[in-house]
Amino acid sequence: MKTLALETDHKIKLPLDWVKELGLESGVVLERTDDGILIRPYTAQTWDEIYAEKLKIGNTSALDLSEVSGDDLIF
């Protein structure tokens, strides 16, 4: 077990060999558990992976858009 100091701005400096060994170079995910905080490697996703679970629009030809105007847009 290694003890690390919590810096004033709540940062934790991990030893460089841990960062390389655990693959933490691209970032981490923090998970709060009953026992404390679990630090996991974060794997960057491509846009294709992000939008893979996006809801697909069904048959748009069945929509009645005759009453929709530019005034109906929300900004």
Side-chain angles (χ1 to χ4, degrees):
M1 177 189 288
K2 184 167 180 127
T3 304
L4 301 171
L6 186 63
E7 295 183 9
T8 56
D9 54 357
H10 306 290
K11 291 182 182 179
I12 300 172
K13 284 190 179 180
L14 298 175
L16 185 57
D17 58 327
W18 287 17
V19 171
K20 290 180 179 179
E21 182 181 330
L22 297 171
L24 305 177
E25 294 92 349
S26 63
V28 297
V29 175
L30 300 178
E31 182 180 330
R32 186 176 176 180
T33 69
D34 291 338
D35 295 326
I37 299 171
L38 182 61
I39 300 174
R40 297 182 187 269
Y42 172 76
T43 307
Q45 294 180 308
T46 66
W47 286 111
D48 290 335
E49 292 169 332
I50 292 170
Y51 287 112
E53 296 181 22
K54 183 178 177 184
L55 295 175
K56 304 288 184 202
I57 296 176
N59 183 2
T60 57
S61 63
L63 295 175
D64 179 14
L65 301 176
S66 60
E67 297 181 22
V68 177
S69 73
D71 295 335
D72 296 323
L73 300 177
I74 299 175
F75 293 98

